[in-house]
Amino acid sequence: MDLFEVILSIHIGLGMICLLSGAVSMLAPKTKGRHTKWGEVYHGAYAALAATAIILSIWKWNEIAYLFYIAVFSYGLAMYGYAARKRKWKRWLQHHIRGMLGSYIGAVTALLVNIGDSIPLLNKLPALSYWFLSTIIGSPLIYIVGRRYRKKPSVSKKTSY
């Protein structure tokens, strides 16, 4: 096994950790505890995943340059969502949801682009669809989840004259 294959194996393992920890975090109650612990695992694994993706894509640029762009863009979304939560930006929860779910869409896109043709039923679709399928499915979910956790405007008390 050469060094490229070692890094690729690490990258695949990190991708599996990201997909699993992201799913656990998404499905967990949105309180401190399981959601935040698995979210930290997701973020840490994603940082390492992006690093290995960048290394692999530079190594074989003519074959997998697209991996570089997916990694940079998707990890940028993860950082955006992570920073929104840690820095408590105004409307941080909306930013957090968009960033983290957007980064998850990026991870699923990378997976589909690389192995979609070996997944039963998906392998019946044109290869180009692997680039868009997770975004087509995931974007409405970001909207739905964002609405679910949007703060309701406070009702102002009527003043009596």
Side-chain angles (χ1 to χ4, degrees):
M1 187 181 279
D2 68 2
L3 184 57
F4 182 87
E5 290 171 338
V6 170
I7 297 170
L8 179 60
S9 297
I10 292 167
H11 178 76
I12 291 168
L14 289 166
M16 291 170 51
I17 292 169
C18 281
L19 291 171
L20 292 172
S21 62
V24 170
S25 184
M26 281 187 267
L27 296 172
K30 306 303 178 257
T31 58
K32 285 191 179 190
R34 191 174 353 155
H35 175 74
T36 52
K37 286 178 186 174
W38 284 100
E40 290 291 342
V41 170
Y42 174 77
H43 183 255
Y46 215 122
L49 179 71
T52 58
I54 290 168
I55 292 166
L56 293 169
S57 63
I58 290 171
W59 196 316
K60 294 196 175 184
W61 187 261
N62 290 335
E63 298 165 43
I64 55 172
Y66 65 86
L67 189 59
F68 176 88
Y69 299 106
I70 293 173
V72 170
F73 182 73
S74 297
Y75 186 63
L77 286 169
M79 279 300 303
Y80 162 67
Y82 187 78
R85 168 64 180 100
K86 292 296 183 181
R87 303 269 186 213
K88 294 282 190 178
W89 295 346
K90 183 178 180 182
R91 297 184 58 222
W92 70 266
L93 185 57
Q94 298 301 308
H95 296 287
H96 178 71
I97 290 168
R98 288 182 202 125
M100 300 314 276
L101 292 180
S103 70
Y104 197 84
I105 288 171
V108 172
T109 299
L111 176 71
L112 291 179
V113 166
N114 285 290
I115 68 163
D117 59 350
S118 62
I119 300 172
L121 297 179
L122 288 181
N123 62 2
K124 306 287 186 212
L125 298 172
L128 186 61
S129 66
Y130 304 144
W131 283 97
F132 303 104
L133 190 59
S134 57
T135 302
I136 290 167
I137 294 169
S139 295
L141 292 175
I142 291 173
Y143 177 77
I144 290 165
V145 171
R147 284 197 60 185
R148 180 177 182 192
Y149 289 100
R150 185 174 294 141
K151 286 187 176 182
K152 308 283 188 271
S154 59
V155 178
S156 59
K157 295 180 181 179
K158 291 184 178 182
T159 56
S160 55
Y161 295 99

